[in-house]
Amino acid sequence: MNIARFELPITATNTTEQMLFRTDHSYRPDIDGLRAVAVLSVLIYHAFPSIMPGGFFGVDIFFVISGYLITGIIQRQILQKRFSIADFYSRRIRRIFPALILVVAVTFVLGWFLLPLRDMQSLGTNIAGGAIFAQNFVLLGQIGYFDLAADKKPLLHLWSLGIEEQYYVVWPLILLLVRRLNGNAQILVVLLAVASFVLCLVVGARAPDYAFYLPVTRAWELLAGSALALWQAGHKPRAAQATPVGTSQEVAAVLASAAIMVGLWGYRPWMTDPGWFTLLPVLGATTLIALPDTAVHRHVLAARPAVWIGLISYPLYLWHFPLMAYARIHFGDGLRIRHMLAVLLISAVLAWLTYILVERPLRFGRQHVRIKVTGLVTAMIALGAVGWAADRTNGLPMRIPAAIRPFMLTGGESSQYWRSGKCLMLPEQGPEEFAGECAGSGGRPLVLLWGDSYAASLYPGLKHLADERGFDVAEYSASSCAPLIGYVNSERRFCKPSNDFTLQKIRELHPDVVVLYSTWSYGEPDLRGGLQRTVPLLRPFTKKIVLLGPPATWTGEGLSANVLDYYFESGNFATLPERTWYRSRESFTRGIEAILEDEASKVGIEYVSMRGLMCNDNGCLARIGPNGSELTAFDTGHFTHAGSIFMAGQIIDRVLAFKN
């Protein structure tokens, strides 16, 4: 899961505030234009990532702008002995809170009607984290195999505001302390920036998620802008008329622009971000800010369209991501280019209206400042409380109609039986962490279940029936790892060693049956070649090899979300039928099954169609139990506890034949 590409802090001082606070510095429309470059890069990346693979580097550009403008304001006011912490944060609140409160409130209202429990709980956590500008730390806590996809978290993007505000808490105090101690702020900022960058490289090599979210590993980007501002504050500016732009400056501006473009289009997935490659947009942005009036500035960055986008960049950024996330949640695999273009257009309209009707009235003017700040802080606290309530109640279940409330699952009800971290290895766990209990309790006959998290979701059912049917169960599974010798997953470095370890355990345990079960959502060469390599290695050590095909799976956010959507889309508030084709991935499942069934026949092992056990001409099983009281899966395919028991019974009866 590539959480790290959905972000952008864009709360730095904009056009009007630059003019309000300038002393001997003139307003520079090119900085608004650079802000437009940053915002548009991120929007393009979020909408169409293949067009601009490094569009997320807009965040780095914006960090530089933020550090430059805010440091310039603080330093000039400190030198003029008129800097006030209270006034500084009053302005920050009036700058950041109005649009943020509006967007978060609308996002919550939409979620109230659209999101199932698991998604609403996650949204509540993000609202609470965003309200105290700690979203980056919240997201670090949410990282995990079963976490929601990053592009379907409506408020994921608030993490970058957290980084920025955390910088604003610490940095003014440091500048004040340096001034009081008569220290050299320019030397200090360079030392801090270098230390932060080195820490970024060290942490990034070992824990890239932490390097991405921690303020100390991101600070060097803001400090780059701060260093420039402090350097300029220490050098008397020359009049623009007396400083003609030289050829070297024109060339430097072109090279800086090229560096940013290389970053935006030259990024590749194997590169580390933040890291060495991140220097391109950071140094490119710093150079453009440092230069005087070049052709790039006059004709590109200071062009009216660019300046206009810069003006609305903050609300534009706030609006676009929640709208994209809800579009992805609603349309799922059916999301089209026209839908995304509509989202971008709506985002721009809402951003302009927010800027005109919300931001400007609450932000500017000297009247009623205390009332404005008090009201904004109160509203933000209220939003944080709502988010906390959504998290603590597991998604505010009272908002769900009573008829379908029992079907609103978070996943924890079932995954608590999976022995995650013991017999289901999580992404950062190697095979040495398999627990002794994974080998079973020593009984016979022994069924060894080998696979990924789908296998882990089947284990509770097999274990539930083991004593009744007279067999023992061993389980070795690893997230996103096909149970195939030689299989390599670039995002799961322990797949190969985990599979090699499982093969060794099979040699030691000599299980009566080896069951291979997985999502099987891998390429055909991986599936065919993997089975051809794996089966001969298993034959000497087991009596039977059983290949379980893919189960019925579902598009969107899974069965719980589908129950909620079907209830409102049916026209008569109906419950999702027990058997249904609604949002079924039948064509995908059939394609994978055809490959597996054919290859199983070729290598001479038994094949069981999980799809066949779940589906008939009337649809696939979505609900089971008395009156269809239980879902078969809680997401797109992982079995619920009830579904696991049901499917285990089907497998035992039809294939394993371990009966009383």
Side-chain angles (χ1 to χ4, degrees), residues 2 17 21-22 100 108 141 143 178 202 336 363 398 430 449 498 529 543 558 591 594:
N2 193 5
E17 192 164 344
F21 283 106
R22 73 174 186 258
L100 180 59
F108 174 76
I143 291 172
V178 170
V202 172
R336 300 290 182 262
R363 181 178 173 194
M398 74 289 295
L449 180 62
S498 292
K543 299 175 183 177

Side-chain angles (χ1 to χ4, degrees), residues 559-607:
L559 273 183
S560 278
N562 291 352
V563 169
L564 182 62
D565 292 342
Y566 186 87
Y567 182 83
F568 290 108
E569 293 176 11
S570 63
N572 59 349
F573 302 111
T575 302
L576 186 71
E578 294 183 26
R579 287 189 178 274
T580 182
W581 297 117
Y582 180 74
R583 292 183 178 172
S584 169
R585 301 179 71 198
E586 174 69 0
S587 59
F588 169 82
T589 305
R590 280 185 176 275
I592 296 295
E593 179 160 82
I595 296 170
L596 292 173
E597 191 169 14
D598 178 66
E599 197 58 42
S601 175
K602 289 180 179 179
V603 297
I605 61 176
E606 189 162 356
Y607 181 80

Side-chain angles (χ1 to χ4, degrees), residues 37-54:
V37 171
V39 173
L40 290 177
S41 299
V42 173
L43 265 64
I44 292 171
Y45 173 77
H46 287 169
F48 312 108
S50 61
I51 294 178
M52 190 176 285

Side-chain angles (χ1 to χ4, degrees), residues 394-417:
N394 295 322
L396 298 170
M398 74 289 295
R399 67 193 168 86
I400 305 295
I404 59 172
R405 195 174 298 162
F407 302 117
M408 297 297 104
L409 307 177
T410 64
E413 309 91 346
S414 301
S415 61
Q416 62 176 313
Y417 299 103

Side-chain angles (χ1 to χ4, degrees), residues 417-418 424 449 451-460 475 477 517 644:
Y417 299 103
W418 294 2
L424 167 61
L449 180 62
D452 55 18
S453 59
Y454 272 37
S457 77
L458 179 62
Y459 166 79
E475 178 211 356
S477 55
Y517 184 43
S644 178

Side-chain angles (χ1 to χ4, degrees), residues 445 447 469-471 513 544 606 648-660:
V447 177
R469 304 296 178 94
F471 64 94
V513 181
K544 180 187 285 188
E606 189 162 356
Q650 298 295 307
I651 295 165
I652 292 167
D653 288 341
R654 298 182 181 222
V655 179
L656 303 184
F658 295 139
K659 300 180 180 179
N660 289 333

